[in-house]
């Protein structure tokens, strides 16, 4: 074990230390002398929608993409427990499961429906439970929304994203379908995912876009090329999925980690053996800054995202309540302007492997 690993403040160390010392998560954060923003109230605005500053991504609870699917009742307890710990923003999709993820979220939140914000996503065609491709046609989207409402056990969806843009359907038509759903009272706000600045503007011209959800983390920063700024210019929130890079920035893996061919991790470009070995330098940097701030690498990674723009709301996924508690602790972490500049300088010295080229942000994924 190298010195960095001996010194790092990992999730399990964080949880045991906090328990033994009787400390709250917020106690571990360091007060900055020149914060970039006022201390957090725990809430943020994405467009006109108020949500908890950190949400909960629910995909891993049922999808089987990055871990075996969990017991549904146990996952409902995690969703309810997250609300008890301050989370009001819950993210799901018809694709997750498929369909079963929305059922878990709907069952968990039905008794507190008015107190939470449910975001879901549509835009895929299915043959039974098998996804067969994208479908952004208005008639399909409207039919899909009916099934989503039924599974979520609600008569409205707070934030409905087009999960991926259908290249065969003009974005204006898909946006128009959501506009109709909003007029019917079945949807409150419209979002899109993994889209270019040009597509964001086209969709926004038809139906006001409240949020754009795309991957963003210390490792994957491609959307710093115009996408995040476009959101700011248009009054749109930006919701990062994968904010701790599928667990890498939570100190879950190291240079010795390997994945079987049937694992979803094996198909992720920054999870090849070469990429992990190279990108450990970034994890070491997050560890070092975590020690400096008295927080875990995961908390540092989330707090850094929050510090980039006031309209950014990350949605880390987990199946464990202790990780929800840890993630929420990032809300109270402040940075000075000097700290952010210093960290960015150190960050940009690391040449990452397996990440997207900046130009790819200018096309739909």
């Amino acid at each position: 074990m190298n010195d960095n690993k001996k010194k790092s403040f990992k999730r399990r160390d964080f949880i045991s230390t906090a328990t033994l010392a009787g400390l709250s998560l917020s106690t571990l954060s360091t007060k900055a002398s020149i914060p970039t923003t006022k201390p957090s109230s725990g809430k943020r605005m994405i467009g006109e929608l108020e949500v908890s500053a950190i949400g909960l991504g629910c995909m891993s609870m049922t999808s089987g993409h990055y871990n075996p699917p969990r017991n549904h009742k146990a996952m409902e307890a995690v969703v309810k427990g997250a609300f008890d710990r301050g989370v009001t923003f819950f993210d799901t999709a018809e694709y997750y499961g498929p369909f079963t993820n929305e059922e878990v979220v709907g069952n968990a939140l039905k008794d507190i429906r008015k107190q939470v914000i449910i975001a879901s996503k549509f835009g895929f065609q299915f043959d039974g439970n098998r996804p067969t491709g994208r479908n952004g046609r208005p008639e399909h989207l409207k039919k899909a929304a009916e099934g989503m409402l039924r599974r979520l056990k609600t008569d409205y969806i707070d934030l409905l994203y087009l999960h991926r843009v259908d290249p065969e359907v003009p974005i204006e038509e898909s946006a128009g379908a959501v506009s109709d759903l909003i007029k019917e009272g079945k949807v409150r706000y419209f979002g899109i995912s993994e889209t270019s600045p040009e597509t964001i503007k086209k969709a926004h011209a038809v139906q006001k876009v409240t949020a754009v959800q795309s991957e963003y983390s210390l490792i994957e920063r491609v959307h710093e090329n115009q996408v995040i700024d476009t959101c700011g210019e248009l009054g749109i929130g930006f919701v990062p999925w994968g904010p701790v890079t599928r667990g890498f920035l939570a100190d879950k893996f190291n240079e010795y980690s390997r994945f079987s061919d049937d694992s979803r991790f094996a198909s992720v470009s920054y999870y090849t053996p070469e990429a992990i070995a190279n990108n450990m330098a970034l994890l070491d940097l997050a560890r070092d800054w975590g020690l400096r701030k008295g927080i875990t690498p995961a908390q540092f990674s989330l707090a850094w995202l929050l510090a980039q723009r006031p309209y950014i709301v990350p949605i880390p996924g987990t199946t464990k309540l202790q990780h929800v508690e840890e993630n929420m602790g990032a809300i109270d972490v402040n940075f000075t302007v000097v700290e952010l500049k210093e960290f960015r300088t150190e960050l940009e010295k690391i040449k990452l492997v397996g990440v997207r080229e900046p130009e790819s942000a200018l096309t739909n994924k």
Side-chain angles (χ1 to χ4, degrees):
M1 182 177 289
N2 62 31
D3 289 341
N4 278 327
K5 289 180 182 175
K6 289 180 181 177
K7 293 188 298 181
S8 69
F9 198 33
K10 296 185 178 182
R11 284 191 168 205
R12 59 180 176 270
D13 301 326
F14 166 80
I15 294 164
S16 60
T17 301
T19 302
L20 290 171
L23 297 175
S24 69
L25 287 162
S26 59
T27 305
L28 291 172
S29 63
T30 301
K31 292 182 178 179
S33 56
I34 314 173
T36 55
T37 59
K38 294 180 180 179
S40 174
S41 65
K43 301 286 186 182
R44 286 199 167 191
M45 299 298 298
I46 50 173
E48 299 175 354
L49 194 57
E50 184 180 70
V51 298
S52 53
I54 290 177
L56 177 62
C58 300
M59 181 188 78
S60 60
M61 296 180 180
T62 63
S63 69
H65 286 313
Y66 296 103
N67 52 261
R70 304 299 202 246
N71 175 273
H72 287 190
K73 290 297 182 184
M75 293 301 96
E76 288 173 23
V78 172
V79 174
K80 292 176 183 176
F83 173 76
D84 293 337
R85 288 155 178 79
V87 177
T88 63
F89 187 34
F90 297 87
D91 185 85
T92 181
E94 61 168 0
Y95 192 91
Y96 304 159
F99 311 127
T100 54
N101 201 268
E102 290 180 319
E103 293 173 352
V104 167
V105 172
N107 284 330
L109 300 178
K110 61 185 178 182
D111 294 333
I112 51 172
R113 180 65 187 92
K114 301 295 184 181
Q115 302 175 63
V116 297
I117 302 298
I118 296 177
S120 195
K121 299 179 284 292
F122 65 175
F124 283 92
Q125 183 74 45
F126 298 90
D127 180 6
N129 289 336
R130 184 175 64 89
T132 58
R134 303 180 187 189
N135 190 339
R137 292 180 174 82
E139 61 275 14
H140 172 76
L141 296 179
K142 291 178 181 181
K143 182 178 179 180
E146 297 300 327
M148 299 170 80
L149 290 167
R150 184 172 59 253
R151 291 188 292 272
L152 289 166
K153 294 180 170 54
T154 184
D155 56 1
Y156 67 95
I157 298 170
D158 295 290
L159 177 59
L160 183 55
Y161 296 96
L162 183 65
H163 205 159
R164 293 291 187 272
V165 173
D166 184 344
E168 303 300 321
V169 180
I171 187 60
E172 292 88 347
E173 292 185 15
S174 299
V178 180
S179 181
D180 290 342
L181 290 168
I182 291 173
K183 291 171 185 174
E184 294 169 10
K186 297 175 180 177
V187 174
R188 294 179 64 204
Y189 297 98
F190 173 46
I192 48 180
S193 181
E194 292 292 352
T195 54
S196 69
E198 180 182 2
T199 299
I200 294 170
K201 292 174 182 177
K202 287 181 178 179
H204 193 69
V206 173
Q207 171 58 50
K208 188 174 183 179
V209 176
T210 290
V212 170
Q213 182 182 135
S214 297
E215 184 176 12
Y216 184 40
S217 68
L218 286 172
I219 286 184
E220 188 53 86
R221 306 192 301 276
V222 67
H223 296 292
E224 291 182 351
N225 183 16
Q226 302 183 42
V227 175
I228 295 173
D229 284 343
T230 296
C231 289
E233 292 164 6
L234 297 176
I236 299 170
F238 188 80
V239 178
W241 66 265
V244 292
T245 322
R246 300 173 171 92
F248 182 80
L249 292 168
D251 230 341
K252 186 176 180 180
F253 306 107
N254 60 34
E255 60 268 38
Y256 304 108
S257 298
R258 296 294 184 271
F259 307 101
S260 62
D261 291 341
D262 61 350
S263 168
R264 180 74 176 267
F265 284 102
S267 66
V268 178
S269 58
Y270 48 70
Y271 270 114
T272 64
E274 298 77 16
I276 294 176
N278 179 87
N279 297 344
M280 286 299 296
L282 177 52
L283 179 55
D284 287 341
L285 182 62
R287 287 170 175 166
D288 290 343
W289 273 82
L291 284 170
R292 180 169 164 177
K293 304 291 285 184
I295 54 179
T296 66
Q299 287 177 318
F300 177 82
S301 301
L302 292 168
W304 181 83
L305 288 174
L306 291 171
Q308 301 311 297
R309 299 288 192 281
Y311 52 87
I312 287 178
V313 177
I315 49 168
T318 186
T319 59
K320 299 178 177 65
L321 273 178
Q322 61 263 39
H323 291 169
V324 173
E325 294 176 354
E326 178 186 357
N327 293 340
M328 294 301 281
I331 294 172
D332 295 320
V333 178
N334 293 320
F335 295 96
T336 66
V337 173
V338 172
E339 284 176 326
L340 288 172
K341 288 182 178 178
E342 180 183 348
F343 178 77
R344 176 68 75 162
T345 298
E346 295 174 356
L347 177 63
E348 292 184 350
K349 289 178 181 177
I350 299 172
K351 303 300 182 184
L352 296 169
V353 171
V355 297
R356 293 171 59 183
E357 291 297 324
E359 295 73 21
S360 68
L362 305 182
T363 58
N364 298 324
K365 185 176 179 182

